[in-house]
Amino acid sequence: MAARKKRPTGPKVAVIGAGSFGTTFAKILCDAGCDVVLWARRDEVASEINMGHRNSRYLHGINLPKQLVATSDIDEAVSGAEMVFYAVPSQTMRANLVASKPYFRRDAIAVSLVKGVEKGTRQRMSEVMTESLEIPIEQVAIVSGPNIALEIAKEQPTGALVACVDLDNADWVARACHTAYFKTYISTDVTGTELGGVLKNLIALAIGIVDGVGYGENTKASIITRGLAEMTEFAVASGANPTTMSGLAGLGDLITTCQSPLSRNSTAGRLIGQGYTLQETTSEMNQVAEGISSVEPVLELAQKRGVEMPIVQQVKMVLDGTMKPADLAPHLATEDDVPQEELNLTAEPVRDSAWEWFKKLFSRESEQ
């Protein structure tokens, strides 16, 4: 194990997954003063991080903190950790949770950095975590926002939202990963924070597809705007607060994922728009585009909740080969000529809470 050169002042934490974002988040936690152990699936990745303070496969050119310790032994990583951050593909999340469970402290906080929905069960990652680790939802936190890994690793300023139904735990996690370049905010809306991270990937696939076809900024702006409407309607129908979709975990993440050349999902969409098959796109990319595996379960949930998501439906048709990429954009929001409302929020309990929020806002303004 590499020798530490600076004594950590924060909590002992583990990061499971040494891909681009897992490694970047381990750097954030180190810079915030935490005692960090990063679990890598491959011995050679852990060795490079320990010996050379680099992860050249996923973060080329980035120097990692010398105090960061990496291991391929999940026991060594998780045992005694007060917080365990999971940065693995959504479809392997359950297996990684099961592998770490024997070493997971019963009072530890499990934190998801993952933006996806599990196939088959259609569960969000927080649901997979509570079920697999057998812990209450109060011990689960979500970190989400406009967080392109390489930009953060270069210490370019950004913000993120930490959500937990226990606000004290959200605050604890937020403080553990707060640095001069990574500003954290807190929320109790776990559902909305997770869904923002999941749904924006699907819209980014659509943006990539039309970009690959050659459509311009008007088309992309329309898809982003209509995509945000689809995201909001789906989130509210799922019990989320609509205001979350206008924040870092919703609109902020959507903008970044749609416009950044470093975005895995828009890159995958762009390749498909240029004529690559789904299989060719997958083999061409070095990393997982979570949106591809989330399209089907999200549409299944949308149908169950009575929410129409025409852009996401058309992305599925392109992926299935039943729609040409060039035909996605002309449809945008509907396949008929009947004008529709821009936004239709039908989840009464959440809409009521939003109305109360607006009343309080205007009440404060009238008092000033």
Side-chain angles (χ1 to χ4, degrees):
M1 184 182 292
R4 301 183 189 277
K5 295 195 175 182
K6 183 172 72 174
R7 184 175 179 81
T9 58
K12 181 178 180 181
V13 302
V15 178
I16 306 302
S20 59
F21 197 58
T23 306
T24 295
F25 217 85
K27 179 186 185 304
I28 292 169
L29 291 162
C30 282
D31 290 344
C34 294
D35 183 359
V36 187
V37 179
L38 173 63
W39 178 81
R41 183 167 53 87
R42 293 186 297 275
D43 290 334
E44 60 270 22
V45 173
S47 295
E48 183 188 16
I49 293 171
N50 287 328
M51 302 294 291
H53 313 298
R54 293 286 187 103
N55 186 344
S56 56
R57 178 177 175 84
Y58 293 109
L59 287 177
H60 181 71
I62 298 297
N63 293 319
L64 299 174
K66 290 182 171 60
Q67 68 268 30
L68 174 61
V69 172
T71 180
S72 57
D73 184 345
I74 201 162
D75 180 355
E76 181 182 1
V78 177
S79 293
E82 298 170 73
M83 301 178 194
V84 182
F85 293 77
Y86 292 87
V88 295
S90 58
Q91 305 314 312
T92 68
M93 175 65 111
R94 189 178 293 273
N96 282 282
L97 289 165
V98 170
S100 64
K101 182 183 176 183
Y103 318 108
F104 188 90
R105 274 177 47 165
R106 301 321 298 163
D107 61 345
I109 305 297
V111 187
S112 172
L113 305 175
V114 183
K115 299 174 180 179
V117 176
E118 187 178 50
K119 281 186 174 181
T121 67
R122 302 190 296 273
Q123 289 182 330
R124 290 177 283 111
M125 293 300 101
S126 63
E127 296 170 316
V128 176
M129 294 168 89
T130 56
E131 185 176 285
S132 300
L133 293 174
E134 297 183 280
I135 57 175
I137 189 62
E138 290 79 9
Q139 286 178 236
V140 172
I142 310 298
V143 178
S144 192
N147 302 148
I148 298 294
L150 185 59
E151 292 183 6
I152 301 173
K154 291 178 178 178
E155 301 187 9
Q156 297 179 8
T158 190
L161 184 66
V162 178
C164 180
V165 297
D166 185 321
L167 197 60
D168 288 338
N169 283 340
D171 181 75
W172 188 34
V173 173
R175 290 176 186 274
C177 56
H178 186 98
T179 71
Y181 60 89
F182 193 79
K183 182 174 177 61
T184 49
Y185 299 82
I186 57 176
S187 170
T188 57
D189 186 11
V190 169
T191 299
T193 302
E194 280 191 289
L195 289 179
V198 172
L199 299 172
K200 58 87 184 182
N201 286 335
L202 314 186
I203 306 306
L205 282 171
I207 289 293
I209 290 169
V210 301
D211 189 43
V213 169
Y215 289 126
E217 301 309 314
N218 288 342
T219 303
K220 287 183 265 189
S222 297
I223 290 177
I224 289 174
T225 307
R226 293 305 308 149
L228 181 61
E230 289 188 19
M231 289 169 58
T232 303
E233 290 178 12
F234 182 95
V236 169
S238 303
N241 190 318
T243 60
T244 302
M245 291 300 105
S246 64
L248 287 166
L251 180 59
D253 204 1
L254 176 64
I255 292 171
T256 296
T257 309
C258 287
Q259 73 176 11
S260 173
L262 299 175
S263 165
R264 290 171 287 181
N265 290 281
S266 62
T267 298
R270 192 175 301 112
L271 291 171
I272 292 168
Q274 291 171 348
Y276 286 72
T277 65
L278 184 56
Q279 184 176 0
E280 289 169 342
T281 297
T282 302
S283 61
E284 182 78 12
M285 297 182 65
N286 189 32
Q287 302 182 68
V288 175
E290 288 283 9
I292 292 175
S293 61
S294 296
V295 169
E296 189 171 339
V298 165
L299 285 173
E300 290 174 0
L301 287 171
Q303 182 177 20
K304 183 178 180 181
R305 291 165 188 170
V307 176
E308 294 185 4
M309 303 187 78
I311 294 176
V312 179
Q313 180 63 54
Q314 289 154 34
V315 168
K316 182 179 186 300
M317 293 169 69
V318 171
L319 295 178
D320 291 344
T322 59
M323 175 182 278
K324 295 179 180 178
D327 290 340
L328 186 152
H331 291 87
L332 277 179
T334 180
E335 291 189 1
D336 57 41
D337 296 324
V338 180
Q340 300 178 352
E341 292 181 292
E342 270 204 297
L343 192 62
N344 180 23
L345 304 182
T346 57
E348 291 296 334
V350 178
R351 186 168 60 189
D352 289 345
S353 65
W355 173 239
E356 292 299 324
W357 182 85
F358 280 115
K359 285 197 295 183
K360 290 178 183 178
L361 174 63
F362 288 122
S363 175
R364 286 198 299 271
E365 288 183 346
S366 63
E367 292 171 359
Q368 294 177 352

